[in-house]
Amino acid sequence: MDDITSSARAEAPRVPWRLRLFGRLLESWIRIKPDPVDPKTLLLPGVPVCYVTERYGLSDALILEQACREAGLPSALVPLENVTTRRKRSYFATSMRNSLFWNPARRRPPTEPLAELMQQLQLLPDTDVQLVPVSIFVGRAPNRQSGWFSVLFSENWVVVGRFRRLLGLILNGRDTHVQFSQPVSLRSVLAEEQGQPQERTVRKISRVLRAHFRRIRAAVIGPDLSHRRTIVDAVVNAEPVQEVIASTALKENIPREQARSRAHDYALEIAADYSHTVVRSLSFLLTSFWNKLYDGVTMSHFERVRAAAPGHEVIYVPCHRSHIDYLLISWLLYTNGIVPPHIAAGVNLNLPLVGPLLRRGGAFFLRRSFKANALYSAVFTEYVSQLFGRGVSMEYFIEGGRSRTGRLLQPKAGMLAMTLRAFLRESRRPVMFQPVYIGYEKLMEGNSYIGELSGQPKEKESLFGLLRSVKKLRQHYGRVAVNFGEPVFLDDLLQQEAPDWRASASEEKPEWLGRTVDALAERIQVSINRAADVNPINLLAVALLATPKHAMAEVDLIAQLDLYKALLAELPYGERITLTTLTPAQIIAYGEKMQWIRRIRHPLGDVLTSEGKQATLLSYFRNNVLHLFAASAWIACCFINNRRMARASLLRLSRLIYPFIQSELFLPWDEAGFIERIQATLDFFIRRGVIALDAEGRVLNRGAGQGDAAFQLRTLAHSLLQAFERYYITIAVLVKHGPHTISSAELENLCTLTAQRLTLLHELNAPEFFDKALFKGFIQQLRERKVIWTDDAGKLDFDAALNIVAKDAKVILSREIRHGILKLAPEPKPAPPPPAAADRAA
């Protein structure tokens, strides 16, 4: 038996000694990261293995052999088992062999090895061979220890020579990725192609393999978009753009070539100039940048994105809090093996030096408004369609700009509409919108946001301004959280909003397009909110800003933070919400460390406070998570001026008020769902002893005004109270002026001025209180619910329902607040006197 075993070992094919020597030398340097981790699980048991690579090369062959050996797979450098061919190796490449010296014998077509295998299988009907595609990438994503040249010589789309490949191995060999794909049974292919000529079958398999390798390379290092001129020419020559060029030339009486040149300039102004080298360089630099700027960047639910994304056109739609958002998401995706998207950026960021760098990182630029420029609009729309058709992932901010208040802004649906039209034109793959929540603990732009909300003009972006902001990099900005929300699949949405959408997809503007875009925008915003991260600063802001002087005894603050954490844990807003693990005491200590709050020592107990500008800035972080407390804060508001309230009355008022706070805070429930949430929150308060229930279970009671329970309710109510004050300002101004006297725009302006004046008189540190966009949203909701409407003269009219809303405000707002608002509301201008009799006669 031992002799037989020894004989079998002697007859087993061995790797030639020269390849073994080179392999040993390379193995001492190469570090392979296989994907999947255990490739052996992919193989068909008992079937000979033939590997397929993208290109020939000694280094690729040795890396493949090392990966096979480490994974316990059959060798790639020995002849194929049980199948006789002229080949001495059990692998081949889909590209032509590149010989150092011209040798016709080595210039055989790349399909020859596959044709030989097919011939052998036809001669051996009981034999099968499995083709295992293997993709090899040297230096895909250099880490923070990598040198600068490592970035330059990492993997890309360029076909490199031997010297460059050698440099790549030396510099990036320790970051080598080898991806094994699902095997293909040649016997199964033969069965499917039975009766077809062998040459046709071989060409088909080769074409499928080449497409597979291109798809894998695009997924790992990004699509080949290095030729900017190609996409610009494609945009200008597209039929929709050519039509607008012709109409522009006719309308402006200019030569067609001049209009075409203008379109070409627009396309150059817009188009990204994607560079894999620049992307890797930025990734290399940003790793050090984040480590200096932040204590860490945490990412949640990313694996769900990775699982759902394959086979989809992915559109990333984050909330927009800071200029850092652009870089942060692209860096996170790239370092986690996902190609960074092309990003729609405002043309105001196309600054000298900065603009070209962003453009090479995948940014394409758009003007703030281009409705009046039909040619620019056509070029930009076609550019988006070209990206879409080429399978390029995109990222844009549907809020249109950075939020100055910390809330989600009402979406601007322009990019969504363009994406939807592009899908109708180029619906090759299903589309997945991926909402992303970004949560900071401190913002670089905080001071400028306060100034803009207070009426100061927005500071225009400039290179000088950018250089001045460098000093901010010395500050400490805490941690950043990036949470990926529940994706929105466009096919599913279309099926809900327009079941017969395919029948009208070819129309220029189907009747269902507008409502579908609005529904898509709403769902994205809701999904972003359902993936919020609740950090220590958010909780401190919600608690401290509810007190008149933004100060609270330490024992009370701990109790309040404990209530908030328990509420969010026991009644989760959504499954993707993340909540700080710090205890209330640790949250306070962290707030002191971040210099958001200050401790005042006192013999009867320390007081924690936030003062001046810090308190104003904290309102931003309170607003980040305001929606999480909407139901509980509404209940608390009902008990500010009432010690007892019937459960039925509270639920009636909840139904009345919900549409308005739903629109403002992008809440996820319908009316029935909100009522269920209210009921569950009431049960939570009863369990905690914050609210009591009478013996019959009909009437709710809060404790005495001086008790801890009443204090906790008052503090919780404050986060939503300012919304109701804004609502009452709007109603008071409208009723005071009467019907048919002011327009929507005039009402918005008067409400903003009233709120500003109220802020000055009452020292409210909440700049968003007089944000015109919030008043505009409430007025729009009143119009949608037919409470107010516009008459033929463009003025607002209303009915008795508005008086009911004003009456219900007494439940929430105290008499002092209501009278103060009524007093501050501007008086209507006196009507002009009627013309004199003589004038009428004239």
Side-chain angles (χ1 to χ4, degrees), residues 305 314-318 432-436 484-488 576:
V305 180
V314 183
I315 311 292
Y316 297 93
V317 277
M432 181 182 95
F433 289 91
Q434 179 55 64
V436 185
F484 291 88
E486 187 72 28
V488 179
R576 301 199 181 203

Side-chain angles (χ1 to χ4, degrees), residues 226-369:
S226 54
H227 303 294
R228 183 184 182 211
R229 176 182 53 80
T230 304
I231 193 170
V232 167
D233 289 344
V235 167
V236 176
N237 293 326
E239 184 179 345
V241 176
Q242 286 293 315
E243 291 176 358
V244 180
I245 287 174
S247 63
T248 300
L250 186 63
K251 181 180 179 181
E252 299 184 13
N253 195 24
I254 58 175
R256 183 186 176 99
E257 188 56 36
Q258 183 179 341
R260 187 184 188 283
S261 177
R262 188 188 301 174
H264 189 270
D265 291 342
Y266 287 157
L268 286 175
E269 176 189 319
I270 293 165
D273 190 13
Y274 191 87
S275 165
H276 296 290
T277 302
V278 170
V279 169
R280 291 187 186 88
S281 302
L282 287 174
S283 171
F284 170 75
L285 294 173
L286 286 174
T287 302
S288 299
F289 178 74
W290 301 135
N291 289 333
K292 291 179 181 178
L293 201 63
Y294 300 111
D295 289 337
V297 179
T298 59
M299 185 169 60
S300 300
H301 316 303
F302 174 71
E303 290 307 319
R304 299 190 187 186
V305 180
R306 191 195 293 275
H312 287 85
E313 182 73 28
V314 183
I315 311 292
Y316 297 93
V317 277
C319 60
H320 200 6
R321 304 275 163 80
S322 168
H323 280 314
I324 296 295
D325 300 342
Y326 297 99
L327 303 173
L328 185 64
I329 295 177
S330 294
W331 175 79
L332 279 173
L333 292 173
Y334 185 77
T335 54
N336 284 277
I338 299 290
V339 180
H342 274 44
I343 305 170
V347 74
N348 55 311
L349 294 178
N350 192 16
L351 304 171
L353 301 179
V354 176
L357 185 64
L358 293 177
R359 201 184 289 275
R360 286 173 173 79
F364 61 96
F365 296 99
L366 73 158
R367 299 178 182 180
R368 289 299 179 188
S369 177

Side-chain angles (χ1 to χ4, degrees), residues 643-691:
R643 189 165 179 179
R644 292 163 53 86
M645 178 174 285
R647 185 190 285 259
S649 297
L650 191 147
L651 297 181
R652 180 188 66 81
L653 287 172
S654 299
R655 291 187 180 91
L656 177 67
I657 200 65
Y658 180 62
F660 304 111
I661 58 176
Q662 180 190 30
S663 174
E664 182 172 324
L665 300 177
F666 297 100
L667 302 181
W669 310 288
D670 57 13
E671 184 180 288
F674 184 65
I675 295 303
E676 289 181 11
R677 181 75 176 187
I678 291 292
Q679 298 276 31
T681 308
L682 284 171
D683 293 340
F684 168 82
F685 283 146
I686 292 168
R687 289 196 304 272
R688 298 276 300 195
V690 178
I691 291 176

Side-chain angles (χ1 to χ4, degrees), residues 390-403:
R390 294 170 185 233
V392 180
S393 62
M394 286 186 283
E395 175 189 330
Y396 46 74
F397 303 94
I398 64 173
E399 295 171 276
R402 290 167 293 155
S403 171

